Amino acid sequence: MSNELITSVKVDESLIRKIGNNQFLKIIPSEHKIEISTIKQEKITKPIEQVDKIIVKACPVEVNLYKNESNNFEYETTWITLDEEKIEIPISDLKTIFTTLDEKDLFIYDKKLNLSNILSMIIKQDTLKRKINNIKDI
């Protein structure tokens, strides 16, 4: 079965995306972790409180998106853990990537949903960055 490379992304900058009313998904490659931040403010006169919760004790440093002959998307990923261990996962579907990382006990919270969000966030951010750079070149 042949796979067509759609895009390849090196994750070298922190990324943040709003995922709920007061929640943000944060990918922090320099610290090798992924967090959810929750912003709380009980009254407008009270200070804003931010609570960060690590959800994955690793961070993808490279993500390659492929489309297979069945038109399904698969990923080839490289991760770095909090302990600086490098994990290379060959072309696989989300379930296989999840299983590989889960076997190493790297997920802390809301596992499968976040893996999908994390990888799509990286791909979308890279696509957006390329489009902006193309506009700048015009």
Side-chain angles (χ1 to χ4, degrees):
M1 191 157 27
S2 117
N3 292 305
E4 174 191 354
L5 178 64
I6 303 298
T7 191
S8 181
V9 182
K10 297 249 188 250
V11 184
D12 52 10
E13 298 176 335
S14 293
L15 302 172
I16 187 168
R17 177 162 74 179
K18 187 173 184 173
I19 58 169
N21 249 358
N22 299 317
Q23 286 193 320
F24 298 86
L25 178 65
K26 298 190 315 186
I27 299 173
I28 310 168
S30 61
E31 298 177 22
H32 312 308
K33 65 183 177 181
I34 299 171
E35 295 179 338
I36 287 185
S37 290
T38 303
I39 308 296
K40 296 178 184 177
Q41 186 176 25
E42 292 178 21
K43 292 183 179 178
I44 199 155
T45 56
K46 301 269 181 177
I48 294 173
E49 181 183 325
Q50 178 176 325
V51 178
D52 296 328
K53 181 191 299 186
I54 296 176
I55 59 168
V56 184
K57 297 182 284 186
C59 186
V61 291
E62 189 170 351
V63 177
N64 297 317
L65 176 66
Y66 292 89
K67 186 186 279 189
N68 64 22
E69 290 176 349
S70 304
N71 283 329
N72 294 321
F73 291 106
E74 296 181 322
Y75 301 88
E76 178 181 40
T77 59
T78 303
W79 297 72
I80 300 287
T81 69
L82 282 173
D83 300 329
E84 307 266 337
E85 177 189 354
K86 187 175 187 178
I87 303 167
E88 294 185 12
I89 304 173
I91 298 173
S92 348
D93 58 13
L94 282 173
K95 184 177 180 180
T96 304
I97 295 169
F98 169 77
T99 302
T100 303
L101 296 174
D102 198 36
E103 284 172 352
K104 295 185 175 288
D105 197 32
L106 296 174
F107 288 101
I108 299 173
Y109 175 77
D110 204 10
K111 305 172 179 183
K112 283 186 185 173
L113 171 66
N114 282 320
L115 179 59
S116 176
N117 282 337
I118 290 161
L119 295 177
S120 70
M121 177 178 167
I122 290 167
I123 298 296
K124 287 177 183 175
Q125 184 67 30
D126 182 68
T127 302
L128 183 61
K129 189 187 295 185
R130 288 179 198 216
K131 286 181 178 180
I132 289 171
N133 286 336
N134 285 343
I135 291 171
K136 287 180 181 177
D137 291 341
I138 296 176

